[in-house]
């Protein structure tokens, strides 16, 4: 039994996710589209379970698992096989660890793979091609556990000495109570687990903390249903008006769309109520769509809506890796167009032809074809060829990206250099202190340059150290302004902070960066020049925090005579060739990038030499 208007719930989830992935900075909260899918899956699966038990007094667990397997696994494998050959169009950096990514996707462990490897759903740099399959992992975990629990419940309830109708009521009530308990537990785990985090990927990816939308849907199913419907819901539908319900459904979708504009992945409010609100709104949309089905017995769903709903799962699988690949080759709008032009036909082919063939069924699209052996043989040959290409590509995929290699090497150099540098500077400071007979005399800042930076600085550390005279470098990936402040204060306390302080921070700017930078400026002791290197991100628009940092830093020399700005943002923008095939932030060992970056720092130091020290 196909419920009309459910297609629009699927379409809403798909549109939110696609908009988020394609235009993340414009539509930052579109990730709630996944929660619409989760809620809908929890509702649909549970409603079908309730229907099955009401009709047969049984729940066939293995049959349930078999249906889930044929619906989920073949499209997933097919999408991987189609996408991998296209990776030869872009930098090998984008297939780093490809074998592990594929194993995690097919093994439905991508969510924990990303947690263990430090991945982020909002990764700014080299995104994994199959990071989006984290949601399939959470979904599969739900199916395995929920199906097993339902099998146990049905076995227990079947032993009760009640008539079949009473048993069905008890089963429905049990499902509702357990769904409510599990939803509350999962949501509470997310809300509590998000406390103190700056990267929320851990609670976002986890099956434990992000399973409550499924149980919200399951709870709704216990009150409504599809074929087997409680009397209370029957009475509610009997009084429903098609016009009113349609208006309420449209309004619910509109609120979901507005919520996608407001939520932020990096805001804790998202995890203490935002995702729950999205799930509840999704449940309301499902409820209203179910009621509208009852109110419109003579009206059919538009064919285009049914088509999009049918291919929504496969299109979800294809869109992300295709977009990652083509966004490296063309502009974002064209990448979106190419992604859809390739993704939609592949998704339709998968749903209407290949998946039925794999399941041993006659595809409806080929009902006039009686001999499908040539088609099956052709598909088998294509599959074998694609598997060979995928296996070869995964085997030869790099273990580390060029950026990761540079950061690793830079980290080793930094650890070794800091030991010698700290020793030499401290000894010089101690010697200077002993010369001072006046107890009130202050130790002067050591001559030279202290560079404090993030992953961009770390990636070019070796070259920078050789081409910026008398410098020490302390750089680390993902370093934010507040962390740079801590490094500066530690060096200052230990009297190893040199006269020229170069701050190369801003690409990882979080909310509150301006207050952090003001704090850094205020607490820098007298006797120093402060050189601020503006951050650069090739993809950044004016509303990005990194762009705002650069704009703000350019205003500071007019307010503080000891501050100089080295405008890396503008210099880097003149050399797009440095970032070709990269993430648009790092240049991963490309010497031309090292040269330009060192030039930016040295230009800043030359300008600073003409200004007074902080008084």
């Amino acid at each position: 039994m196909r419920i009309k208007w459910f297609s629009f719930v699927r379409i809403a989830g798909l549109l939110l996710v696609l908009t988020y992935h394609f235009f993340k900075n414009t539509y930052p909260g579109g990730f709630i589209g996944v929660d619409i899918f989760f809620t809908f899956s929890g509702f649909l699966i549970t409603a079908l379970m309730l229907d099955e038990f009401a009709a047969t007094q049984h729940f066939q667990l293995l049959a349930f698992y078999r249906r889930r397997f044929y619906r989920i696994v073949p499209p997933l494998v097919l999408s991987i096989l189609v996408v991998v050959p296209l990776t030869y169009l872009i930098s090998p950096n984008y297939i780093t660890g490809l074998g592990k990514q594929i194993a995690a996707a097919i093994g439905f462990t991508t969510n924990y793979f990303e947690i263990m490897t430090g991945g982020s759903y909002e990764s700014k740099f080299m995104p994994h091609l199959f990071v989006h399959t984290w949601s399939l992992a959470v979904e599969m975990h739900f199916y395995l556990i929920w199906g097993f629990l339902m099998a146990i419940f049905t076995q227990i309830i079947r032993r009760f000495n009640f008539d079949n109708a009473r048993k069905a009521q008890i089963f429905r009530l049990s499902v509702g109570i357990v769904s409510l308990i599990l939803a509350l537990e999962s949501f509470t785990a997310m809300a509590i687990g998000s406390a103190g985090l700056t990267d929320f990927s851990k609670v976002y990816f986890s099956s434990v903390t992000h399973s409550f939308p499924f149980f919200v849907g399951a709870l709704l199913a216990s009150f409504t249903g599809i074929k087997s419907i409680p009397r209370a819901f029957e009475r509610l539908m009997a009084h429903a008006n098609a016009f009113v319900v349609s208006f309420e459904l449209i309004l619910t979708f509109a609120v979901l769309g507005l919520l996608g504009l407001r939520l932020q992945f990096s805001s804790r409010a998202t995890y203490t109520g935002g995702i729950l609100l999205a799930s509840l709104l999704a449940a309301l949309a499902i409820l209203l769509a179910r009621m509208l089905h009852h109110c419109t017995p003579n009206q059919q769903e538009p064919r285009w809506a049914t088509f999009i709903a049918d291919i929504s799962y496969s299109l979800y699988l294809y869109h992300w890796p295709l977009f990652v690949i083509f966004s490296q080759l063309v502009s974002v709008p064209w990448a979106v167009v190419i992604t859809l032009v390739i993704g939609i036909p592949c998704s339709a082919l998968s749903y209407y032809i290949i998946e039925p063939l794999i399941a041993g069924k006659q595809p409806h699209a080929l009902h006039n074809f009686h001999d499908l052996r040539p088609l099956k043989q052709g598909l088998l040959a294509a599959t074998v060829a694609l598997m060979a290409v995928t296996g070869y590509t995964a085997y030869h995929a790099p273990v580390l990206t060029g950026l990761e290699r540079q950061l690793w090497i830079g980290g080793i150099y930094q650890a070794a250099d800091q030991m010698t540098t700290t020793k030499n500077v401290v000894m010089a400071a101690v010697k200077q202190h002993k010369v001072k007979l006046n107890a009130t005399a202050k130790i002067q800042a050591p001559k030279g340059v202290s560079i404090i930076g993030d992953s961009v600085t770390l990636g070019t550390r070796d070259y920078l150290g050789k081409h910026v005279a008398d410098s020490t470098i302390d750089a680390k990936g993902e370093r934010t302004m507040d962390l740079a402040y801590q490094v500066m204060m530690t060096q200052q306390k230990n009297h190893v902070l040199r006269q020229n302080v170069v701050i190369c921070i801003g690409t990882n700017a979080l909310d509150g960066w301006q207050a952090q930078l003001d704090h850094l400026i205020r607490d820098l002791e007298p006797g120093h020049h402060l050189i601020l290197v503006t951050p650069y991100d090739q993809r950044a628009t004016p509303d990005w925090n990194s762009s705002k940092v650069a704009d703000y830093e350019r205003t500071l020399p007019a307010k503080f005579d000891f501050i100089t700005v080295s405008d890396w943002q503008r210099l880097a923008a003149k050399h797009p060739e440095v970032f070709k095939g990269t993430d648009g932030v790092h240049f991963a060992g490309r010497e031309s990038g090292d040269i330009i970056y060192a030039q930016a720092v040295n230009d800043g130091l030359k300008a600073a030499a003409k200004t007074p020290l902080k008084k």
Side-chain angles (χ1 to χ4, degrees):
M1 178 181 179
R2 181 160 188 156
I3 302 297
K4 295 176 298 184
W5 318 118
F6 272 178
S7 294
F8 287 90
V9 178
R10 286 194 177 102
I11 292 171
L14 180 65
L15 286 177
L16 285 169
V17 171
L18 294 183
T19 307
Y20 169 66
H21 284 158
F22 294 157
F23 311 106
K24 182 167 60 179
N25 297 301
T26 303
Y27 199 67
F31 52 82
I32 61 173
V34 171
D35 298 290
I36 295 177
F37 283 129
F38 282 179
T39 307
F40 185 78
S41 293
F43 168 82
L44 187 61
I45 292 303
T46 306
L48 293 175
M49 290 174 174
L50 292 168
D51 287 347
E52 181 179 349
F53 186 78
T56 67
Q57 299 300 299
H58 288 278
F59 171 64
Q60 300 296 333
L61 181 61
L62 293 181
F64 169 73
Y65 286 158
R66 189 183 307 112
R67 290 192 299 271
R68 293 297 87 205
F69 173 87
Y70 280 119
R71 182 66 189 98
I72 295 174
V73 177
L76 171 62
V77 174
L78 180 63
S79 67
I80 292 171
L81 295 178
V82 170
V83 163
V84 169
L86 296 175
T87 61
Y88 286 93
L89 298 173
I90 58 175
S91 166
N93 286 326
Y94 284 88
I95 60 169
T96 300
L98 182 64
K100 293 180 180 179
Q101 289 188 56
I102 293 174
I106 297 177
F108 299 100
T109 56
T110 296
N111 58 336
Y112 291 113
F113 171 75
E114 294 295 331
I115 290 173
M116 291 174 62
T117 57
S120 171
Y121 196 42
E122 286 215 330
S123 175
K124 297 178 183 176
F125 305 128
M126 296 292 183
H128 286 166
L129 287 176
F130 304 111
V131 65
H132 65 310
T133 61
W134 74 269
S135 63
L136 302 187
V138 178
E139 189 166 359
M140 183 60 78
H141 300 164
F142 166 74
Y143 290 150
L144 291 173
I145 295 173
W146 194 235
F148 183 71
L149 286 176
M150 293 302 100
I152 293 175
F153 286 170
T154 55
Q155 288 299 318
I156 294 173
I157 294 171
R158 285 181 60 203
R159 298 177 183 178
F160 292 174
N161 189 23
F162 298 121
D163 59 42
N164 291 344
R166 181 60 175 165
K167 289 179 182 178
Q169 290 177 346
I170 294 173
F171 181 47
R172 185 180 293 274
L173 179 62
S174 301
V175 167
I177 293 173
V178 173
S179 297
L180 178 61
I181 293 172
L182 293 177
L184 290 173
E185 288 181 345
S186 175
F187 169 71
T188 301
M190 174 177 278
I192 294 175
S194 63
L197 298 180
T198 55
D199 179 7
F200 295 94
S201 297
K202 180 179 179 180
V203 293
Y204 188 79
F205 283 140
S206 173
S207 298
V208 174
T209 54
H210 206 152
S211 61
F212 64 86
F214 291 102
F215 297 114
V216 169
L219 179 62
L220 175 64
S222 70
F223 286 103
T224 59
I226 296 179
K227 289 183 180 179
S228 173
I229 302 173
R231 292 180 181 176
F233 186 57
E234 282 185 342
R235 290 194 294 268
L236 177 63
M237 289 196 298
H239 293 88
N241 177 274
F243 177 80
V244 174
V245 173
S246 298
F247 176 78
E248 292 172 341
L249 181 59
I250 293 171
L251 182 61
T252 302
F253 286 141
V255 175
L256 277 167
L258 291 174
L259 189 62
L261 283 171
R262 300 293 300 173
L263 290 182
Q264 297 283 341
F265 190 87
S266 59
S267 171
R268 192 184 174 214
T270 297
Y271 307 93
T272 56
I275 293 177
L276 176 61
L277 177 58
S279 303
L280 294 174
L281 287 169
L284 177 59
I286 295 167
L287 174 65
L288 294 170
R290 178 66 185 88
M291 295 171 64
L292 189 60
H293 171 85
H294 178 79
C295 296
T296 55
N298 300 319
Q299 191 172 349
Q300 296 299 315
E301 219 174 25
R303 283 194 173 185
W304 63 265
T306 303
F307 171 75
I308 296 175
D310 286 345
I311 69 169
S312 59
Y313 168 57
S314 291
L315 187 56
Y316 175 82
L317 293 175
Y318 281 104
H319 87 280
W320 175 249
L322 290 176
F323 179 69
V324 169
I325 291 170
F326 290 107
S327 62
Q328 304 307 307
L329 303 173
V330 296
S331 64
V332 168
W334 277 111
V336 171
V337 171
I338 296 172
T339 295
L340 296 177
V341 167
I342 295 176
I344 291 175
C346 287
S347 301
L349 181 66
S350 174
Y351 182 82
Y352 291 112
I353 296 177
I354 298 177
E355 293 173 45
L357 287 175
I358 293 174
K361 300 176 182 179
Q362 175 79 19
H364 293 297
L366 302 176
H367 63 276
N368 291 326
F369 290 81
H370 301 293
D371 186 5
L372 297 176
R373 285 177 297 177
L375 177 59
K376 292 180 178 179
Q377 292 170 357
L379 288 174
L380 179 60
T383 300
V384 171
L386 289 173
M387 288 179 66
V389 173
T390 300
Y392 176 85
T393 306
Y395 181 77
H396 291 280
V399 177
L400 297 174
T401 65
L403 170 61
E404 288 170 333
R405 285 193 298 272
Q406 286 299 114
L407 296 183
W408 182 68
I409 294 170
I412 293 175
Y413 279 121
Q414 177 162 297
D417 290 351
Q418 280 184 334
M419 294 177 65
T420 302
T421 301
T422 301
K423 177 182 176 182
N424 292 340
V425 176
V426 169
M427 292 302 294
V430 171
K431 183 178 179 180
Q432 182 184 23
H433 181 66
K434 289 181 178 179
V435 171
K436 300 292 184 180
L437 299 177
N438 185 348
T440 61
K442 294 183 178 180
I443 301 175
Q444 295 181 355
K447 300 292 184 181
V449 183
S450 291
I451 301 176
I452 301 173
D454 54 19
S455 57
V456 179
T457 312
L458 184 58
T460 187
R461 187 185 189 285
D462 185 41
Y463 185 92
L464 201 62
K466 294 175 181 177
H467 293 84
V468 178
D470 196 16
S471 63
T472 63
I473 303 172
D474 190 310
K476 188 176 181 180
E478 300 294 321
R479 180 171 281 169
T480 52
M481 195 66 73
D482 58 328
L483 297 178
Y485 170 82
Q486 294 175 18
V487 173
M488 188 192 78
M489 294 304 293
T490 299
Q491 291 187 10
Q492 188 165 264
K493 179 181 178 181
N494 294 327
H495 307 295
V496 296
L497 186 67
R498 298 191 173 192
Q499 192 175 80
N500 296 298
V501 181
V502 181
I503 302 295
C504 311
I505 298 292
T507 305
N508 306 298
L510 301 176
D511 292 340
W513 58 266
Q514 183 173 334
Q516 295 162 6
L517 179 54
D518 290 343
H519 197 194
L520 182 149
I521 294 169
R522 185 183 68 244
D523 290 352
L524 177 67
E525 291 181 347
H528 294 280
H529 289 125
L530 180 61
I531 298 93
L532 300 175
V533 179
T534 59
Y536 175 70
D537 190 327
Q538 197 174 49
R539 305 157 300 175
T541 56
D543 61 332
W544 284 37
N545 278 349
S546 60
S547 299
K548 294 176 182 178
V549 170
D551 291 339
Y552 181 67
E553 287 179 340
R554 293 188 190 103
T555 68
L556 295 174
K559 302 176 183 177
F560 305 96
D561 58 7
F562 63 92
I563 293 181
T564 303
V565 170
S566 172
D567 211 332
W568 168 241
Q569 187 192 56
R570 289 177 177 169
L571 181 60
K574 297 177 181 178
H575 299 276
E577 72 282 355
V578 169
F579 302 94
K580 187 176 181 179
T582 72
D583 56 17
V585 175
H586 307 85
F587 28 89
R590 186 172 283 153
E591 188 176 12
S592 56
D594 294 336
I595 294 171
I596 300 169
Y597 193 78
Q599 175 190 333
V601 174
N602 282 320
D603 288 347
L605 290 169
K606 289 177 183 177
K610 302 175 183 179
T611 63
L613 299 170
K614 184 178 183 181
K615 298 177 182 179

